Amino acid sequence: MLENVLVIVPTYNESGYIGKLLPKLFELNLDVLVVDDGSTDGTIEIAKSIDPNSNKINFLLRKSKQGLGSAYRAGYAWALANGYKTMIQMDADGSHQVSDLKAMLQYRAENPEVELMIGSRWIPDGAIENWSKSREALSRIANKYTQLMLQLGVRDATAGFRIYNSELIKRMKVDAVKSEGYCFQIEMTKVAQSAQAIIAEYPITFKERETGSSKMSSKIVIEAMWRVTIWGLQRVFWRNSR
């Protein structure tokens, strides 16, 4: 049904949900690339058991935890080398819904000019489930601060549920994107804007993971706030110098 479309799924100890996610993606006839950072809980064994002949799942197996940004950069490079025209970013923990992906792909088919589609929690009809008030406040504040400092025109710049056109990935020169953690998503949005990408947000329902542990940490938050502040100041100084 969908040709030259690849779902890139970073994993690190995601055995609790990976076995549920992959069959749902296969129902949409999508190829999958699992980029694993040395899982020790059987994540890869479960994935391989679902597609024993490796017809739909591909693997990049890394020996140690190298970060979300690094995983996606490796995934993009693999996708380009193997001729994929569309790349989908999707979490392996159940927070991103395949039903939302199906709707996003339909929207993209109807709007082929869109080069980056972001599954957004913070636009009308977007929603979250099972988040604590503190986690919700952190995400809302981070996105409002990002919009204030960078003026990206995107309500959910930290969102990781995305669909990229491969030609945009080439224009963006993603090897120069150095952020890790959730700041990676912000920097990718910033670089996409600089590449004059046509960006659209689509409402999704984000569900807090039911198994495993969150990868969120104070280090990730500090990295994002620090980098956004620096980029924002650079934007202001550049504008004033003009």
Side-chain angles (χ1 to χ4, degrees):
M1 182 176 67
L2 296 171
E3 295 183 355
N4 297 318
V5 179
L6 181 71
V7 186
I8 303 172
V9 182
T11 56
Y12 179 71
N13 291 342
E14 296 292 357
S15 62
Y17 194 78
I18 194 71
K20 299 177 182 178
L21 172 63
L22 295 176
K24 293 179 180 179
L25 292 175
F26 294 163
E27 290 177 6
L28 300 183
N29 197 29
L30 295 169
D31 290 350
V32 178
L33 174 66
V34 173
V35 185
D36 187 77
D37 272 6
S39 292
T40 57
D41 68 341
T43 295
I44 297 305
E45 288 74 16
I46 293 171
K48 288 182 176 179
S49 71
I50 294 169
D51 183 29
N53 296 320
S54 298
N55 293 322
K56 302 296 292 182
I57 307 179
N58 305 278
F59 295 91
L60 280 180
L61 304 180
R62 309 190 315 169
K63 294 182 179 180
S64 61
K65 194 173 181 182
Q66 299 178 44
L68 183 69
S70 172
Y72 276 127
R73 287 190 295 270
Y76 301 148
W78 190 94
L80 290 175
N82 286 275
Y84 287 94
K85 303 300 183 183
T86 301
M87 305 172 200
I88 299 167
Q89 291 184 188
M90 194 169 188
D91 288 352
D93 59 8
S95 57
H96 297 155
Q97 311 308 304
V98 175
S99 57
D100 284 335
L101 175 59
K102 186 175 181 179
M104 290 167 68
L105 287 168
Q106 180 62 39
Y107 180 90
R108 183 176 179 274
E110 295 169 356
N111 300 272
E113 72 280 2
V114 174
E115 298 176 290
L116 166 56
M117 181 177 294
I118 300 175
S120 179
R121 300 157 289 187
W122 307 128
I123 62 173
D125 296 325
I128 56 171
E129 292 184 3
N130 305 322
W131 261 13
S132 66
K133 292 296 183 181
S134 60
R135 180 72 184 277
E136 179 179 350
L138 176 62
S139 181
R140 286 186 180 275
I141 291 170
N143 276 287
K144 287 182 180 296
Y145 183 69
T146 297
Q147 178 60 16
L148 173 67
M149 295 298 289
L150 304 183
Q151 298 294 303
L152 297 175
V154 170
R155 296 282 294 277
D156 197 353
T158 63
F161 198 1
R162 301 183 172 211
I163 303 176
Y164 283 97
N165 183 298
S166 64
E167 293 303 316
L168 173 60
I169 291 291
K170 293 176 184 177
R171 293 207 315 270
M172 289 169 62
K173 300 179 181 179
V174 296
D175 286 345
V177 176
K178 299 303 181 184
S179 298
E180 298 295 343
Y182 293 96
C183 189
F184 173 77
Q185 311 297 358
I186 299 173
E187 187 171 1
M188 286 290 288
T189 309
K190 173 177 172 289
V191 175
Q193 184 194 60
S194 297
Q196 299 183 325
I198 298 174
I199 303 173
E201 291 184 271
Y202 192 90
I204 64 163
T205 298
F206 184 97
K207 296 183 179 181
E208 177 66 344
R209 63 186 305 145
E210 297 179 357
T211 62
S213 58
S214 173
K215 307 302 189 293
M216 178 65 75
S217 68
S218 59
K219 181 179 178 181
I220 288 172
V221 174
I222 291 170
E223 179 200 23
M225 299 305 287
W226 170 252
R227 287 182 180 269
V228 168
T229 300
I230 296 298
W231 293 329
L233 292 174
Q234 289 173 340
R235 184 184 69 84
V236 171
F237 292 145
W238 180 81
R239 183 184 61 194
N240 290 341
S241 68
R242 293 185 62 189

